[in-house]
Amino acid sequence: IALNSNFVLANIPIVGEKLEAFVYSQAGKLTDYKTIIGDSVEDNDVKVILNEVILDEGQLLISSTFHTKLEGDDLAYNWFTDINVYIDGQKIQLGGGGGPQEITESYINYFWAADIGHIDLQKEKSIRIVFNDLRRSDSDKMLKGKWAFKFKASGENLIANSKKIPIHHRFTLDSGQEIELEQLILTPVSSKLDFKMNNIYDDVYFKIEDEHGVEIQQTFGSYSNYENNYENYNRFAAIK
C-alpha cells in the first residue's frame, strides 16, 4: 500500500489513437465490446467526430477527434474540452479523466474516461455526449462550440466475459484509517478494485501483480461519498 496526498483523478496516460491503447490492451482485442459511432458534428468551423465508445464496469470510454486549424504557438499547448455525459436522460456527474493524445495543425485526438457509477450494463442505454468548447491549456484562447451526439450502447457482451472476485478483507493503518477491500472486478477492458475507507487521513492506492509477479498498469482511481462512507476504487489494465 502506498499513500499519496496529491492524488489527481485526471492523471491518465494517453498513449494511442485507439481505445485499446488508452487501456493498455492489444490492438483489436476489444473490438467485440466497442460501439463504433463515426458521426460528425460541426460548429464554428470545428468538426468533431465521435469515433468509438466502450461501456465498461463503472466507466464510459470515449474516443473523439477534433478537426481544427491550429498554427504557431497553439501547437505548443494542450487543448481541453468540457464533456457532459447523459445516460437514459440523466446527467452523469461523477467526474472522469483523459485529454488530448495527439495535436497537429489539422486535428486533435481526444480520449476521455467518464465515471458512470453503478449501472446495469446488460440493458441497452441511450447515451448523449456533449463536448463544450475547446480551450488552450493556458486559458488565453478558446474555440467556442457545442458538439452533441446521441446513440445507443450496451455492455451485455462485456459483462458476459467479466467476473467478480469477492475479497472482504479489512485492515487498519497506523493512523487509524480503516480500509475494507471489497471485490476485484475483472473485465476484458479493465481490472477494478473496490474498497471502502473510514477515519480518512490519506488517499490510498494499491499495486496488483499477476501470477508471475508482473505489476499490472494502474490507470486511475476515484472516491465518492455515499451515506457517510467513502466508496473507492483503483482501476488497472485488464489482467490477461
Side-chain angles (χ1 to χ4, degrees), residues 87-106:
I87 298 181
D88 291 338
Q90 182 177 357
K91 186 176 182 179
I92 306 299
Q93 303 187 75
L94 297 176
Q101 182 270 334
E102 183 181 9
I103 299 176
T104 73
E105 294 179 351
S106 58

Side-chain angles (χ1 to χ4, degrees), residues 64-78:
S64 59
T65 301
F66 287 74
H67 288 273
T68 58
K69 297 177 182 179
L70 302 180
E71 58 185 11
D73 291 342
D74 290 341
L75 296 172
Y77 293 89
N78 278 327

